[in-house]
């Protein structure tokens, strides 16, 4: 079983949105997937509760960061476990470190604002110190905002393992969430193409180029 951990030191980065859409992309690629919600706001759980019965199913579990003493492991075998965490994970240093060490890949979404980039850059040395694979994804990027190029350079300079494509701010991501769907399940919308591209980048990181 592979584990993807979605982590952000700052709220509003879009990590829950990205987690559910990556989970659906993995399902559509033929993987058996489970999700695990450690965020007390339960955004991932509420999305799962809305998921239509006629869509490909995924197992779902939930817990609290304060109770994490071992890597989350679903009772039924799956190919991929997608783990969502709360903001301000620095309040749970031991649990956070355990989750990173047990993850095959940690994904840190980052909005293109100075505060978000500063917060992400501060977290990079800790992520690198674990020796575990991670990637930073610039998320909710608005078009033609000149500061984005600077933020990208700052993240690269900080050795952030930056995903090469920005994920734009798209309303379809929020609309699909209200339906309990991933955007990849709705034909003909741009956001689905962005998530497909992201998954095509992540899948070989998890299973190798032969995936």
């Amino acid at each position: 079983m592979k584990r993807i951990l979605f982590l952000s030191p700052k709220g509003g980065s879009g990590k829950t949105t990205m987690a559910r859409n990556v989970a659906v992309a993995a399902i559509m690629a033929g993987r058996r997937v489970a999700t695990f919600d450690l965020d007390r706001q339960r955004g991932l759980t509420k999305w799962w509760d809305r998921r239509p019965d006629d869509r490909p199913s995924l197992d779902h579990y939930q817990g609290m960061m304060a109770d994490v003493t071992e890597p989350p492991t679903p009772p039924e075998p799956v190919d991929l476990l997608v783990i969502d965490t709360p903001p301000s994970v620095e309040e749970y240093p031991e649990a956070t470190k355990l989750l990173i060490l047990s993850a095959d890949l940690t994904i840190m979404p980052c909005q293109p604002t100075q505060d978000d980039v500063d917060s992400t850059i501060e977290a990079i040395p800790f992520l690198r110190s674990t020796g575990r694979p991670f990637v930073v994804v610039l998320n909710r990027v608005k078009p033609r905002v000149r500061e984005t190029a600077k933020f990208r350079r700052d993240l690269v300079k900080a050795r952030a393992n930056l995903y090469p494509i920005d994920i734009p701010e798209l309303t379809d991501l929020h609309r699909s969430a209200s339906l309990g769907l991933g955007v990849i399940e709705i034909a003909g919308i741009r956001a689905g193409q962005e998530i497909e591209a992201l998954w095509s980048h992540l899948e070989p990181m998890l299973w190798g180029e032969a995936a």
Side-chain angles (χ1 to χ4, degrees):
M1 180 186 73
K2 304 293 184 180
R3 292 183 178 90
I4 293 184
L5 175 67
F6 284 85
L7 187 74
S8 175
K10 201 165 186 305
S13 66
K15 100 191 126 42
T16 300
T17 296
M18 197 172 291
R20 59 191 171 221
N21 279 286
V22 165
V24 169
I27 292 171
M28 302 298 282
R31 306 288 181 179
R32 182 172 180 183
V33 180
T35 47
F36 204 107
D37 193 351
L38 290 169
D39 188 343
R40 58 182 172 267
Q41 295 182 13
R42 297 296 188 234
L44 190 60
T45 300
K46 293 170 185 175
W47 169 81
W48 182 81
D49 286 339
R50 292 191 294 270
R51 191 155 175 78
D53 292 338
D54 63 349
R55 303 311 302 164
S57 64
L58 70 160
D59 300 327
H60 180 73
Y61 308 92
Q62 54 185 302
M64 298 297 291
M65 282 290 287
D67 298 329
V68 173
T69 57
E70 58 186 26
T73 303
E76 300 295 328
V78 295
D79 300 319
L80 177 66
L81 180 64
V82 175
I83 305 168
D84 191 23
T85 57
S88 302
V89 289
E90 63 271 15
E91 295 178 8
Y92 310 94
E94 295 302 319
T96 299
K97 185 173 183 180
L98 185 151
L99 290 169
I100 293 170
L101 289 173
S102 62
D104 295 277
L105 180 63
T106 294
I107 299 176
M108 184 176 287
C110 175
Q111 291 196 97
T113 73
Q114 190 66 62
D115 289 341
D116 287 81
V117 171
D118 287 346
S119 181
T120 298
I121 287 174
E122 288 174 5
I124 297 304
F126 174 70
L127 280 171
R128 298 195 73 87
S129 73
T130 66
R132 301 299 298 155
F134 73 95
V135 63
V136 173
V137 181
L138 266 177
N139 191 37
R140 295 179 170 168
V141 176
K142 293 179 173 59
R144 297 180 295 280
V145 175
R146 62 184 179 184
E147 288 84 0
T148 301
K150 175 190 176 299
F151 295 144
R152 175 174 282 280
R153 290 194 298 271
D154 290 345
L155 288 164
V156 170
K157 185 177 179 180
R159 303 174 67 203
N161 295 344
L162 190 62
Y163 173 60
I165 303 172
D166 299 339
I167 304 297
E169 175 69 64
L170 294 170
T171 304
D172 290 328
L173 288 164
H174 308 296
R175 289 175 177 164
S176 63
S178 69
L179 301 172
L181 300 173
V183 290
I184 201 172
E185 296 177 286
I186 303 173
I189 61 175
R190 178 186 169 190
Q193 298 172 1
E194 304 289 346
I195 296 300
E196 285 181 335
L198 177 61
W199 176 247
S200 69
H201 182 83
L202 300 177
E203 189 173 24
M205 296 179 71
L206 292 166
W207 283 282
E209 295 298 332

PDB file of all heavy atoms in Angstrom, residues 176-190:
ATOM      1  N   SER A 176     -17.683  20.784  -8.134  1.00  0.00           N
ATOM      2  CA  SER A 176     -17.628  19.325  -8.082  1.00  0.00           C
ATOM      3  C   SER A 176     -17.656  18.835  -6.648  1.00  0.00           C
ATOM      4  O   SER A 176     -18.258  17.796  -6.344  1.00  0.00           O
ATOM      5  CB  SER A 176     -16.381  18.811  -8.807  1.00  0.00           C
ATOM      6  OG  SER A 176     -15.195  19.273  -8.175  1.00  0.00           O
ATOM      7  N   ALA A 177     -17.031  19.577  -5.741  1.00  0.00           N
ATOM      8  CA  ALA A 177     -17.017  19.174  -4.334  1.00  0.00           C
ATOM      9  C   ALA A 177     -18.420  19.149  -3.756  1.00  0.00           C
ATOM     10  O   ALA A 177     -18.766  18.257  -2.971  1.00  0.00           O
ATOM     11  CB  ALA A 177     -16.134  20.125  -3.533  1.00  0.00           C
ATOM     12  N   SER A 178     -19.250  20.106  -4.144  1.00  0.00           N
ATOM     13  CA  SER A 178     -20.618  20.158  -3.621  1.00  0.00           C
ATOM     14  C   SER A 178     -21.451  18.971  -4.084  1.00  0.00           C
ATOM     15  O   SER A 178     -22.482  18.648  -3.480  1.00  0.00           O
ATOM     16  CB  SER A 178     -21.290  21.469  -4.043  1.00  0.00           C
ATOM     17  OG  SER A 178     -21.526  21.498  -5.442  1.00  0.00           O
ATOM     18  N   LEU A 179     -20.992  18.303  -5.150  1.00  0.00           N
ATOM     19  CA  LEU A 179     -21.694  17.119  -5.680  1.00  0.00           C
ATOM     20  C   LEU A 179     -21.094  15.807  -5.180  1.00  0.00           C
ATOM     21  O   LEU A 179     -21.585  14.736  -5.538  1.00  0.00           O
ATOM     22  CB  LEU A 179     -21.652  17.151  -7.210  1.00  0.00           C
ATOM     23  CG  LEU A 179     -22.278  18.367  -7.887  1.00  0.00           C
ATOM     24  CD1 LEU A 179     -21.983  18.345  -9.386  1.00  0.00           C
ATOM     25  CD2 LEU A 179     -23.771  18.429  -7.625  1.00  0.00           C
ATOM     26  N   GLY A 180     -20.022  15.895  -4.407  1.00  0.00           N
ATOM     27  CA  GLY A 180     -19.350  14.684  -3.962  1.00  0.00           C
ATOM     28  C   GLY A 180     -18.541  14.026  -5.056  1.00  0.00           C
ATOM     29  O   GLY A 180     -18.278  12.814  -5.020  1.00  0.00           O
ATOM     30  N   LEU A 181     -18.110  14.809  -6.035  1.00  0.00           N
ATOM     31  CA  LEU A 181     -17.379  14.284  -7.183  1.00  0.00           C
ATOM     32  C   LEU A 181     -15.965  14.852  -7.226  1.00  0.00           C
ATOM     33  O   LEU A 181     -15.653  15.852  -6.580  1.00  0.00           O
ATOM     34  CB  LEU A 181     -18.100  14.654  -8.481  1.00  0.00           C
ATOM     35  CG  LEU A 181     -19.526  14.147  -8.662  1.00  0.00           C
ATOM     36  CD1 LEU A 181     -20.138  14.746  -9.924  1.00  0.00           C
ATOM     37  CD2 LEU A 181     -19.560  12.628  -8.719  1.00  0.00           C
ATOM     38  N   GLY A 182     -15.127  14.216  -8.015  1.00  0.00           N
ATOM     39  CA  GLY A 182     -13.884  14.812  -8.429  1.00  0.00           C
ATOM     40  C   GLY A 182     -14.084  15.469  -9.778  1.00  0.00           C
ATOM     41  O   GLY A 182     -14.942  15.047 -10.570  1.00  0.00           O
ATOM     42  N   VAL A 183     -13.294  16.505 -10.066  1.00  0.00           N
ATOM     43  CA  VAL A 183     -13.506  17.205 -11.343  1.00  0.00           C
ATOM     44  C   VAL A 183     -13.243  16.307 -12.541  1.00  0.00           C
ATOM     45  O   VAL A 183     -13.807  16.504 -13.616  1.00  0.00           O
ATOM     46  CB  VAL A 183     -12.626  18.478 -11.451  1.00  0.00           C
ATOM     47  CG1 VAL A 183     -13.103  19.535 -10.495  1.00  0.00           C
ATOM     48  CG2 VAL A 183     -11.152  18.152 -11.220  1.00  0.00           C
ATOM     49  N   ILE A 184     -12.405  15.303 -12.349  1.00  0.00           N
ATOM     50  CA  ILE A 184     -12.087  14.396 -13.446  1.00  0.00           C
ATOM     51  C   ILE A 184     -13.311  13.578 -13.859  1.00  0.00           C
ATOM     52  O   ILE A 184     -13.350  13.010 -14.957  1.00  0.00           O
ATOM     53  CB  ILE A 184     -10.916  13.480 -13.027  1.00  0.00           C
ATOM     54  CG1 ILE A 184     -10.211  12.891 -14.243  1.00  0.00           C
ATOM     55  CG2 ILE A 184     -11.363  12.415 -12.076  1.00  0.00           C
ATOM     56  CD1 ILE A 184      -8.949  12.135 -13.883  1.00  0.00           C
ATOM     57  N   GLU A 185     -14.322  13.526 -13.002  1.00  0.00           N
ATOM     58  CA  GLU A 185     -15.542  12.767 -13.287  1.00  0.00           C
ATOM     59  C   GLU A 185     -16.568  13.590 -14.073  1.00  0.00           C
ATOM     60  O   GLU A 185     -17.620  13.062 -14.445  1.00  0.00           O
ATOM     61  CB  GLU A 185     -16.174  12.281 -11.979  1.00  0.00           C
ATOM     62  CG  GLU A 185     -15.293  11.301 -11.227  1.00  0.00           C
ATOM     63  CD  GLU A 185     -15.891  10.887  -9.901  1.00  0.00           C
ATOM     64  OE1 GLU A 185     -15.887  11.694  -8.957  1.00  0.00           O
ATOM     65  OE2 GLU A 185     -16.359   9.725  -9.797  1.00  0.00           O
ATOM     66  N   ILE A 186     -16.284  14.850 -14.316  1.00  0.00           N
ATOM     67  CA  ILE A 186     -17.200  15.720 -15.049  1.00  0.00           C
ATOM     68  C   ILE A 186     -16.574  16.031 -16.395  1.00  0.00           C
ATOM     69  O   ILE A 186     -15.492  16.627 -16.465  1.00  0.00           O
ATOM     70  CB  ILE A 186     -17.478  17.014 -14.267  1.00  0.00           C
ATOM     71  CG1 ILE A 186     -18.037  16.682 -12.883  1.00  0.00           C
ATOM     72  CG2 ILE A 186     -18.444  17.906 -15.033  1.00  0.00           C
ATOM     73  CD1 ILE A 186     -18.192  17.891 -11.979  1.00  0.00           C
ATOM     74  N   ALA A 187     -17.216  15.625 -17.454  1.00  0.00           N
ATOM     75  CA  ALA A 187     -16.619  15.736 -18.781  1.00  0.00           C
ATOM     76  C   ALA A 187     -16.519  17.184 -19.234  1.00  0.00           C
ATOM     77  O   ALA A 187     -17.390  18.008 -18.963  1.00  0.00           O
ATOM     78  CB  ALA A 187     -17.458  14.933 -19.789  1.00  0.00           C
ATOM     79  N   GLY A 188     -15.403  17.470 -19.922  1.00  0.00           N
ATOM     80  CA  GLY A 188     -15.287  18.706 -20.667  1.00  0.00           C
ATOM     81  C   GLY A 188     -14.933  19.946 -19.882  1.00  0.00           C
ATOM     82  O   GLY A 188     -15.094  21.051 -20.393  1.00  0.00           O
ATOM     83  N   ILE A 189     -14.439  19.822 -18.644  1.00  0.00           N
ATOM     84  CA  ILE A 189     -14.062  21.015 -17.898  1.00  0.00           C
ATOM     85  C   ILE A 189     -12.548  21.056 -17.720  1.00  0.00           C
ATOM     86  O   ILE A 189     -11.887  20.025 -17.601  1.00  0.00           O
ATOM     87  CB  ILE A 189     -14.775  21.107 -16.535  1.00  0.00           C
ATOM     88  CG1 ILE A 189     -14.417  19.919 -15.636  1.00  0.00           C
ATOM     89  CG2 ILE A 189     -16.270  21.199 -16.718  1.00  0.00           C
ATOM     90  CD1 ILE A 189     -15.010  20.040 -14.248  1.00  0.00           C
ATOM     91  N   ARG A 190     -12.023  22.259 -17.712  1.00  0.00           N
ATOM     92  CA  ARG A 190     -10.575  22.442 -17.689  1.00  0.00           C
ATOM     93  C   ARG A 190      -9.936  21.870 -16.419  1.00  0.00           C
ATOM     94  O   ARG A 190      -8.843  21.317 -16.456  1.00  0.00           O
ATOM     95  CB  ARG A 190     -10.248  23.935 -17.801  1.00  0.00           C
ATOM     96  CG  ARG A 190      -8.752  24.214 -17.739  1.00  0.00           C
ATOM     97  CD  ARG A 190      -8.448  25.690 -17.701  1.00  0.00           C
ATOM     98  NE  ARG A 190      -7.055  25.930 -17.395  1.00  0.00           N
ATOM     99  CZ  ARG A 190      -6.550  27.113 -17.114  1.00  0.00           C
ATOM    100  NH1 ARG A 190      -7.344  28.168 -17.087  1.00  0.00           N
ATOM    101  NH2 ARG A 190      -5.275  27.246 -16.835  1.00  0.00           N
TER     102      ARG A 190
END
